[in-house]
Amino acid sequence: MDSKEHILQTAVSLFSRQGFDGVSMRDLAKSVNMSTSAVYHYFPNKQTLYLSAVHFAFAKQASAFEEVWQCDQSAEQKLNKFVSCLARVLTEDVDFRRIMQRELLDADDERMQLLAHNVFQEQFSQLMIVVEQISGTQQHAHFTALSVIALVCDIIQMQPLSRHLPGWQAEHETVEYIAEHVLDLLISGIKIQGK
Amino acid sequence: MDSKEHILQTAVSLFSRQGFDGVSMRDLAKSVNMSTSAVYHYFPNKQTLYLSAVHFAFAKQASAFEEVWQCDQSAEQKLNKFVSCLARVLTEDVDFRRIMQRELLDADDERMQLLAHNVFQEQFSQLMIVVEQISGTQQHAHFTALSVIALVCDIIQMQPLSRHLPGWQAEHETVEYIAEHVLDLLISGIKIQGK
DNA sequence: GTCTATATGGCGATAGAC
DNA sequence: GTCTATCGCCATATAGAC
């Protein structure tokens, strides 16, 4: 087993749950059954290790959206697939979701640029095209594409809170329910944009 | 000037930006021009100070939504006011927004229950009623009310990233643009629910 | 590549004077 | 109510043996 990869995988899990300052190099070393010095053999310092871990977490999800944009589908089918896929990834890979949330909180502009250009731009451009096709206009495509992503992300993010709000049902947290109702809510709104 | 309140206000600002583990009692004491011991005169430990700061940040915003639910308005007008108000609060009080994001990341279940019952339940119930009136059904009201909040929150939260995605315009970050387009997207979807 | 041992400094929290 | 001084511990990071 590749030691470096083992460290990275463990680091993603720990950092995503407790943040940069909440995880010590000792904690991490103990989690991978190594001494701290052994960890420092692979990474020059904690900062570099953290950035590598973030990069690792995003790289793992890069391929998740490949099947979404296949040509032989209608724009609505593509949107449907994208929303389902996003909901699934964010629900199943909790570490990824939390690293993402933490990066948005930190909001280091240099890292945001890297993330935008290297990780999200491709998917976002595809989503904008689909949104333009459904609405029949290029107006507001950026904002609408953003809204699709935002809605799915924050509904999942708010689950620990919404569980305790009136009207909650367990069903609301399934990937299928989220995908179906997000689409129901948005599709008609997107269509009306072009009119 | 009330020393305790001064400490709390400063604590909200520091914790919201750097998190619990990212702020030391020394940092905080220096920011309020006191010794650490003086801070410990007001709060028995760091944990209690953090929780008090969170409570303080939420209390400050409790009154922001008072004018939203006035009776002499249509349901759509109320929804409009709520969305504008939420977008304004999250945009103007960055510390509040970040404390909220951090609490959701921590997701301590006991704290989530307190937050749900003491802070959000009132507003959320009102929002559910409005959503039911617009859609003409009680079905999915919880999920739809949640969607309204989630959409506004995450659009603002993702601003540091969306700035670097294709199609972005400065106008997209104004409270007015967000409120208008969130409503445009959602209203028709909510209306269709009842059909 | 992994270890033990250690340097150096910051951490939360307390004691006790004023 | 605020201070200085300090305790005991844990942090990041390095040195050097195997």
Side-chain angles (χ1 to χ4, degrees):
Chain A
M1 152 75 109
D2 187 340
S3 285
K4 188 164 179 172
E5 198 158 308
H6 184 204
I7 293 172
L8 282 175
Q9 211 141 0
T10 309
V12 168
S13 170
L14 290 176
F15 282 133
S16 76
R17 283 170 167 74
Q18 299 161 249
F20 183 84
D21 295 307
V23 178
S24 71
M25 294 298 269
R26 282 173 161 98
D27 294 339
L28 176 63
K30 194 178 276 179
S31 294
V32 293
N33 294 310
M34 279 181 183
S35 66
T36 57
S37 325
V39 176
Y40 276 99
H41 173 75
Y42 295 97
F43 302 93
N45 53 54
K46 190 184 177 183
Q47 175 89 313
T48 304
L49 169 55
Y50 175 77
L51 294 177
S52 305
V54 173
H55 191 266
F56 184 78
F58 281 103
K60 243 182 51 178
Q61 293 302 343
S63 61
F65 293 87
E66 271 173 16
E67 47 157 359
V68 170
W69 312 112
Q70 282 166 19
C71 291
D72 56 339
Q73 304 170 101
S74 69
E76 287 196 34
Q77 277 176 319
K78 286 181 187 167
L79 183 62
N80 194 329
K81 273 205 176 177
F82 176 79
V83 169
S84 299
C85 189
L86 183 60
R88 186 169 42 76
V89 166
L90 293 177
T91 300
E92 287 174 7
D93 192 345
V94 179
D95 291 344
F96 172 75
R97 200 200 78 214
R98 295 169 84 109
I99 283 274
M100 178 77 232
Q101 278 180 264
R102 283 194 195 279
E103 283 296 291
L104 282 175
L105 257 169
D106 254 34
D108 177 279
D109 197 57
E110 207 176 308
R111 259 144 68 202
M112 287 293 114
Q113 274 185 49
L114 279 174
L115 232 58
H117 295 136
N118 301 341
V119 183
F120 294 109
Q121 194 168 67
E122 184 63 31
Q123 308 297 329
F124 191 79
S125 300
Q126 294 280 357
L127 181 58
M128 275 179 70
I129 292 172
V130 165
V131 161
E132 286 168 13
Q133 287 171 343
I134 295 176
S135 72
T137 172
Q138 293 192 0
Q139 268 212 312
H140 310 303
H142 169 92
F143 191 87
T144 308
L146 201 66
S147 300
V148 173
I149 298 170
L151 189 46
V152 177
C153 287
D154 215 39
I155 282 193
I156 293 171
Q157 231 168 90
M158 284 176 41
Q159 282 172 357
L161 180 67
S162 55
R163 264 194 267 279
H164 301 294
L165 289 171
W168 179 83
Q169 295 167 39
E171 184 199 14
H172 293 157
E173 300 198 357
T174 62
V175 172
E176 294 76 20
Y177 185 93
I178 294 171
E180 188 187 331
H181 284 81
V182 163
L183 281 168
D184 281 356
L185 267 179
L186 291 181
I187 283 278
S188 52
I190 296 174
K191 281 184 183 164
I192 286 172
Q193 280 182 344
K195 310 251 163 92
Chain B
M1 149 76 104
D2 187 341
S3 284
K4 188 164 179 172
E5 198 157 310
H6 185 204
I7 293 172
L8 281 174
Q9 211 141 1
T10 309
V12 168
S13 169
L14 290 176
F15 282 133
S16 77
R17 283 170 166 77
Q18 299 162 248
F20 182 84
D21 295 307
V23 179
S24 71
M25 294 297 271
R26 286 171 163 88
D27 293 339
L28 176 62
K30 193 176 277 182
S31 294
V32 292
N33 293 311
M34 281 182 182
S35 64
T36 57
S37 326
V39 175
Y40 276 100
H41 173 78
Y42 295 98
F43 301 92
N45 52 52
K46 191 185 177 182
Q47 176 89 313
T48 304
L49 170 54
Y50 175 77
L51 294 177
S52 306
V54 172
H55 190 266
F56 184 78
F58 281 104
K60 244 182 51 177
Q61 293 303 342
S63 61
F65 293 87
E66 272 173 17
E67 47 155 1
V68 170
W69 313 112
Q70 282 165 19
C71 292
D72 57 339
Q73 306 169 98
S74 69
E76 287 196 35
Q77 277 175 319
K78 286 181 188 168
L79 183 63
N80 193 329
K81 273 206 177 176
F82 175 80
V83 169
S84 298
C85 190
L86 183 61
R88 185 169 42 76
V89 165
L90 293 177
T91 300
E92 287 174 6
D93 192 344
V94 180
D95 291 344
F96 172 76
R97 200 200 78 214
R98 294 168 84 108
I99 284 274
M100 177 76 233
Q101 280 180 261
R102 282 194 196 279
E103 284 296 292
L104 281 176
L105 257 170
D106 255 33
D108 178 279
D109 197 57
E110 206 176 308
R111 259 144 68 202
M112 287 293 114
Q113 274 185 49
L114 279 173
L115 231 59
H117 295 137
N118 301 340
V119 183
F120 293 109
Q121 195 169 66
E122 183 63 30
Q123 308 298 326
F124 191 79
S125 300
Q126 294 280 358
L127 181 57
M128 273 177 72
I129 292 172
V130 165
V131 161
E132 288 168 11
Q133 287 172 342
I134 296 176
S135 72
T137 172
Q138 291 190 4
Q139 270 212 310
H140 310 303
H142 169 93
F143 191 87
T144 309
L146 200 68
S147 299
V148 174
I149 298 169
L151 188 48
V152 177
C153 287
D154 215 40
I155 281 191
I156 293 170
Q157 227 168 91
M158 285 177 41
Q159 281 172 359
L161 180 67
S162 56
R163 264 194 265 280
H164 301 293
L165 289 170
W168 178 84
Q169 294 169 39
E171 186 200 10
H172 293 157
E173 300 198 358
T174 63
V175 172
E176 294 76 20
Y177 184 93
I178 294 170
E180 188 188 331
H181 284 81
V182 164
L183 282 167
D184 281 355
L185 267 178
L186 291 182
I187 282 278
S188 51
I190 296 174
K191 282 183 183 164
I192 286 172
Q193 279 182 346
K195 309 255 162 90

